[in-house]
Amino acid sequence: MKKKAMTDDKRYVILLDIIFVTLIVVAGSVIVYYRLMIQYLPKHGPGFDSYALLSNALTLAGKSTYYEIGRPPFQPFLLSLFFRMGFVNELVAYLLDAFFYIAGATGLYLLMRQRFPALLSLAGASIFLSLPDMILNLTLGATDIIAISLSIWTIYFLVLGKNRDSRYLIAVFPLFIISFLTRYTAAVMLFPIVFYLLGQINLLRNMKAIGQSVLISLVVLSIDISYYWHITRGQALFQFLGPLGVATTVERTPAKVITGATPPTTFFITNLPKMMSVSKGGWLLVILFLIGTGAFIIRLLKKSLRPLYISASTVAVVLAVTFFLTFSRINFLVANTIIVGLFLIVIPYVVDLNQEQRLDMFVFIWFVTFLSYHSHQLVKETRYFITMTPQAAYLAVLGVALTTDWIKRFKPEMIYKTVTAVAAAGILAFTSFSAYQSYVSVKDIGGWGIPEAVNQACDWVRPQLRKNSVVYADYFVAVAWYLKRPVVAMPIFKDDRAYAHELGKYQPDFFISIWRGGEVANYKAIKHFQQVNVFVKQKNKKPPDKPRIFLVGQDIDHYLEDMLGFKYYIMRDKSPFPDDTARALGVTYLDEYRPSELSKYKVLLLYNFKWQNVEKAEDVVREYVKGGGTVVIDASGNAGKSVYDLNNSSFLGTSIVKRTLPEHAVFNMHDPTLSYHVDPSKFGPFIDEFKNPWQGSTYQELELPGVLPISDLVTADGKKVVVGVQKIGKGRVIWIGYNIIFHAFYYENKQETRMIQNIMRYAYKRP
């Protein structure tokens, strides 16, 4: 009879889980339905990133050639399967988003069931479904929700594999890799996963399953790398360098250049209430979250500090204060390694934790890892909180569970169950109201008509396009999707002259803009679709003819053109990818050019450039210069890079070393062309945005046969070469040191800018 009773209990639990999972699916479907009513039926269009992902999917399906190489491939791959079957529509991306939204809530419920009763787990899933940024980004066709859903299932199989059957572990690393290939920032999840596995006593017993999991994941990753190896001609890791080459140190990139303002490191902490709910009731969930986090840490410390007779509450306060004081000052990788390692390896062996407490600790570390990662990024948006939503929901429910556990110690079990039920019901009611408020707030957002207007503009332009037509657009990702062909990105400029300059430089056939109207240089807006304007060239007007400088590299052309007063066209070309976004990232290789190609330009500019074979790249430049060309090179863009690094190396027989420049260095000008109308006493100060010494490349010719000395044009403190010239054959190389071009731009120093203008004038003089 006892066995029969246990079987009945198990059946009851399974039935209850089925009912609650069904409720989650129904609730999620209702939210999806109303969100689609906003997004799809009025033709509001996807988000900015979503357009690029749709175009990538179209290319993978063989229906376009526009591909943004820096975008993660998994979601476009899934979409391409439907596109190949003929379902080429944004709705496919919306429904895929919706599927993973519901799947994520279901996975979170099942994960929480490893720790909490069914009713509290249901409350946790409802928090996940109702969070404002989840609803705002739902059915936009982006990767945020898909990636977090896959991450939840990764963690669920990890916990099942450790607590129930090791065979579940086989799914962990393949799912992790797929999450990573959906959104590259999911790589951060590797920290808690690895340390969680290492912190288990039965690690050796699970090695077979872990090994199989890693092997399968490597197969999945190798397929991706093989594809990118093919399309990038050997630069397969480029797709990862941009997204993952950040946050390894405290913020260092000048905010002035990228965003104009940097949110504080505490952005996600101070904005937690509004990220939990659009109403003031968000504080309720924050309080539960804080109770869950605080009570868990104090309970953990009580166990570990009991033999030392130290107050757990005191230590918790000290740890919290230390965490906030050092939050923006510690290297992200070092901080995460210490925190995660301490909690998931050291503490489990010091303290006798049960499975539930280990899971609490793991989720807490999962949350802190992503909080730390995104807080160290230069760009911070509430959207990035999506990576922390399952952890926040879990920790809020943990606050309820630990509170009711405390009540259970003093009150009858019936009171405990009643309080638990009331708390869960309260959360369900609140989250339902919060979901409705989020829906209303999304509905009230303006600007929804732009995508439909862009679509109409593309419908008008499409019949007039030829195979070799060039289309520029400021909302280029949307235009590329609707035209189903490559589109060149028009940067957003503050100076009106920059638009005329850019159009005059490349002379596109059409310019589609959501920002500009009227006339721009020899272009006139002839069709209007709400705020979208289509510009075409006016035959009776020609752009001004300007000297052309050819750039191999990145991050310099637009602001240098501005500094030069738009008197030069700085040209770029020969990207191995069909889209201008990749070209804008500098994905062009110096050794792929022939000297005869470069000889069409009097001046070649090298900054933050790339190569496949550095010796071949040197040969290309050397032959170009020997033929009479002038090369202007600032190796500061390549100093200290993880790849394409020229620091402590040589190029063209010249040693390159990154050094600091004194804050108030004294400059001397040794050439009348460079010193024309320049007051060097007004240069500087040479410090970076964090008041650290300014750094840049310095140069010294090597004692090699045929290598001529570098002649000083501008020096600092008597000996430091800031600008030098070196003869090679009929031409010359102008070496610019100490990152002086960027310093002039960043600090808007008029005297330094005038010197940069003189350098280009000098470069155009006959050698």
Side-chain angles (χ1 to χ4, degrees):
M1 295 296 293
K2 185 176 181 181
K3 185 175 181 180
K4 178 75 164 65
M6 290 176 62
T7 302
D8 289 343
D9 287 344
K10 188 174 182 180
R11 286 176 178 171
Y12 170 76
V13 170
I14 293 174
L15 178 62
L16 191 62
D17 285 339
I18 292 173
I19 292 172
F20 282 177
V21 166
T22 303
L23 287 175
I24 291 170
V25 172
V26 171
S29 299
V30 170
I31 294 173
V32 166
Y33 171 79
Y34 282 103
R35 187 65 182 82
L36 278 174
M37 293 300 101
I38 299 174
Q39 192 68 37
Y40 182 66
L41 292 184
K43 301 293 183 183
H44 286 155
F48 185 91
D49 293 341
S50 308
Y51 277 119
L53 294 166
L54 284 164
S55 292
N56 284 7
L58 207 61
T59 298
L60 291 176
K63 299 178 182 294
S64 179
T65 57
Y66 181 94
Y67 196 90
E68 293 197 6
I69 195 70
R71 302 286 182 179
F74 182 68
Q75 188 237 32
F77 167 73
L78 290 182
L79 292 175
S80 71
L81 300 179
F82 293 95
F83 290 176
R84 286 180 181 274
M85 292 185 287
F87 302 106
V88 182
N89 195 294
E90 299 138 38
L91 182 61
V92 178
Y94 301 159
L95 294 178
L96 187 67
D97 217 15
F99 169 80
F100 279 97
Y101 170 70
I102 296 170
T106 303
L108 182 60
Y109 171 83
L110 296 175
L111 174 63
M112 295 177 74
R113 284 291 284 123
Q114 309 305 306
R115 172 66 173 88
F116 305 115
L119 196 56
L120 285 181
S121 300
L122 178 65
S126 71
I127 294 174
F128 176 83
L129 288 172
S130 67
L131 289 173
D133 281 289
M134 292 293 291
I135 294 178
L136 176 61
N137 290 278
L138 178 60
T139 67
L140 282 182
T143 59
D144 306 79
I145 292 175
I146 299 176
I148 195 59
S149 176
L150 289 167
S151 298
I152 290 169
W153 282 94
T154 301
I155 302 306
Y156 176 60
F157 282 113
L158 175 68
V159 173
L160 286 184
K162 297 304 295 180
N163 295 345
R164 293 192 182 181
D165 189 333
S166 63
R167 287 175 293 185
Y168 286 111
L169 292 174
I170 297 174
V172 171
F173 284 103
L175 277 174
F176 164 73
I177 289 297
I178 293 173
S179 302
F180 168 66
L181 295 177
T182 302
R183 190 168 182 81
Y184 292 135
T185 52
V188 180
M189 193 169 58
L190 188 63
F191 276 95
I193 289 176
V194 170
F195 281 107
Y196 183 71
L197 290 171
L198 293 175
Q200 303 299 314
I201 297 174
N202 59 349
L203 175 63
L204 294 178
R205 228 172 27 192
N206 297 326
M207 284 305 295
K208 180 180 178 181
I210 294 173
Q212 291 172 333
S213 180
V214 171
L215 183 62
I216 296 171
S217 67
L218 290 176
V219 171
V220 174
L221 187 60
S222 66
I223 295 172
D224 170 78
I225 290 177
S226 298
Y227 174 73
Y228 279 95
W229 183 277
H230 169 68
I231 66 172
T232 63
R233 300 200 295 274
Q235 301 296 316
L237 296 181
F238 170 75
Q239 57 176 318
F240 309 133
L241 295 180
L244 297 181
V246 290
T248 54
T249 60
V250 178
E251 294 164 354
R252 302 293 298 169
T253 308
K256 177 181 179 182
V257 177
I258 296 180
T259 60
T262 306
T265 311
T266 56
F267 174 83
F268 293 100
I269 297 173
T270 55
N271 286 283
L272 189 59
K274 76 174 186 179
M275 291 186 296
M276 297 293 277
S277 174
V278 294
S279 69
K280 293 182 179 179
W283 278 103
L284 171 64
L285 295 179
V286 172
I287 290 170
L288 292 176
F289 170 85
L290 293 175
I291 291 173
T293 304
F296 150 71
I297 293 175
I298 290 174
R299 284 176 60 176
L300 188 65
L301 291 172
K302 277 185 177 179
K303 279 193 173 185
S304 58
L305 298 176
R306 188 176 296 142
L308 303 176
Y309 301 100
I310 300 175
S311 168
S313 300
T314 302
V315 174
V317 171
V318 171
L319 286 175
V321 171
T322 304
F323 176 77
F324 281 105
L325 289 178
T326 61
F327 195 54
S328 63
R329 296 174 174 83
I330 297 179
N331 179 290
F332 162 72
L333 295 176
V334 173
N336 266 29
T337 302
I338 294 173
I339 294 172
V340 175
L342 176 67
F343 272 88
L344 295 180
I345 293 182
V346 178
I347 291 180
Y349 286 114
V350 175
V351 184
D352 183 22
L353 300 179
N354 57 37
Q355 287 185 357
E356 292 181 349
Q357 292 166 335
R358 285 175 185 265
L359 181 56
D360 295 343
M361 185 168 60
F362 173 76
V363 173
F364 172 73
I365 292 300
W366 183 17
F367 175 80
V368 170
T369 299
F370 276 92
L371 174 65
S372 176
Y373 174 78
H374 285 298
S375 296
H376 282 83
Q377 298 303 292
L378 186 68
V379 179
K380 302 177 184 70
E381 299 178 11
T382 58
R383 174 169 66 97
Y384 300 150
F385 183 68
I386 290 175
T387 62
M388 298 170 252
T389 50
Q391 307 95 300
Y394 181 103
L395 293 170
V397 171
L398 180 63
V400 176
L402 294 180
T403 302
T404 54
D405 283 349
W406 179 79
I407 294 174
K408 190 177 180 180
R409 293 164 53 189
F410 306 102
K411 300 294 182 181
E413 187 170 349
M414 182 59 68
I415 300 294
Y416 153 76
K417 289 183 177 180
T418 302
V419 171
T420 301
V422 170
I427 291 175
L428 290 170
F430 173 77
T431 53
S432 299
F433 177 68
S434 179
Y436 173 75
Q437 286 186 309
S438 298
Y439 161 77
V440 172
S441 65
V442 171
K443 192 176 181 180
D444 291 340
I445 294 176
W448 288 114
I450 295 176
E452 179 62 14
V454 172
N455 191 10
Q456 292 170 357
C458 291
D459 287 340
W460 183 83
V461 168
R462 190 179 297 108
Q464 306 174 63
L465 295 176
R466 301 179 303 276
K467 185 177 181 179
N468 60 345
S469 294
V470 177
V471 179
Y472 257 64
D474 43 27
Y475 199 14
F476 59 97
V477 287
V479 174
W481 163 247
Y482 291 124
L483 287 181
K484 308 295 188 285
R485 61 178 288 151
V487 171
V488 183
M490 170 64 84
I492 305 299
F493 297 111
K494 293 182 179 179
D495 193 325
D496 287 345
R497 295 177 300 164
Y499 287 96
H501 183 81
E502 185 74 11
L503 291 171
K505 181 164 58 173
Y506 290 110
Q507 289 292 291
D509 297 282
F510 295 93
F511 170 39
I512 301 175
S513 176
I514 64 174
W515 306 112
R516 307 287 306 180
E519 293 189 22
V520 181
N522 61 321
Y523 285 77
K524 185 177 182 179
I526 62 169
K527 290 296 288 185
H528 313 278
F529 302 89
Q530 297 182 52
Q531 73 177 75
V532 178
N533 297 302
V534 180
F535 291 80
V536 297
K537 284 189 289 187
Q538 299 182 70
K539 295 180 180 180
N540 60 339
K541 289 187 178 181
K542 292 185 178 181
D545 189 23
K546 302 177 183 180
R548 293 174 182 259
I549 298 171
F550 192 77
L551 167 68
V552 179
Q554 65 183 98
D555 298 339
I556 195 172
D557 52 336
H558 289 130
Y559 73 75
L560 182 56
E561 285 177 324
D562 190 348
M563 292 171 65
L564 297 176
F566 302 105
K567 294 179 179 178
Y568 299 84
Y569 288 135
I570 298 180
M571 313 296 294
R572 282 187 304 186
D573 152 329
K574 195 142 184 168
S575 167
F577 310 108
D579 69 293
D580 189 67
T581 302
R583 181 160 61 107
L585 293 171
V587 194
T588 128
Y589 308 115
L590 178 57
D591 47 317
E592 290 192 334
Y593 293 94
R594 296 188 303 274
S596 58
E597 289 181 280
L598 299 176
S599 65
K600 294 183 291 186
Y601 299 89
K602 288 187 66 175
V603 177
L604 171 65
L605 175 62
L606 301 180
Y607 183 87
N608 200 1
F609 57 98
K610 297 175 173 62
W611 58 83
Q612 294 174 307
N613 183 299
V614 69
E615 289 81 11
K616 185 179 176 183
E618 288 179 298
D619 290 341
V620 169
V621 175
R622 193 176 288 111
E623 289 303 312
Y624 164 77
V625 178
K626 283 182 178 179
T630 296
V631 172
V632 178
I633 177 171
D634 184 347
S636 301
N638 290 86
K641 292 275 186 177
S642 56
V643 290
Y644 310 110
D645 187 15
L646 288 177
N647 190 32
N648 295 315
S649 64
S650 65
F651 192 77
L652 298 176
T654 297
S655 171
I656 300 172
V657 180
K658 187 177 183 179
R659 291 197 172 98
T660 59
L661 191 63
E663 180 178 349
H664 300 292
V666 178
F667 285 76
N668 294 297
M669 317 287 287
H670 304 283
D671 185 276
T673 302
L674 269 66
S675 61
Y676 181 71
H677 283 181
V678 175
D679 182 359
S681 66
K682 295 182 179 179
F683 286 8
F686 288 93
I687 53 175
D688 66 15
E689 68 275 22
F690 297 106
K691 309 302 180 184
N692 297 317
W694 187 262
Q695 294 183 323
S697 292
T698 60
Y699 312 103
Q700 178 64 52
E701 70 276 1
L702 299 174
E703 295 182 4
L704 297 173
V707 176
L708 297 178
I710 298 175
S711 301
D712 297 344
L713 297 177
V714 181
T715 56
D717 289 348
K719 298 180 179 179
K720 299 179 174 65
V721 178
V722 179
V723 185
V725 62
Q726 185 180 36
K727 289 283 291 182
I728 300 179
K730 297 179 181 179
R732 59 192 173 176
V733 177
I734 299 173
W735 298 93
I736 298 180
Y738 292 105
N739 209 10
I740 191 71
I741 297 177
F742 182 70
H743 186 276
F745 166 71
Y746 184 83
Y747 285 101
E748 299 179 351
N749 188 296
K750 293 182 179 179
Q751 297 302 317
E752 292 176 20
T753 299
R754 194 167 294 158
M755 182 186 71
I756 302 302
Q757 294 171 349
N758 291 342
I759 290 173
M760 291 305 166
R761 192 177 298 116
Y762 176 87
Y764 255 85
K765 288 173 59 178
R766 186 179 298 276

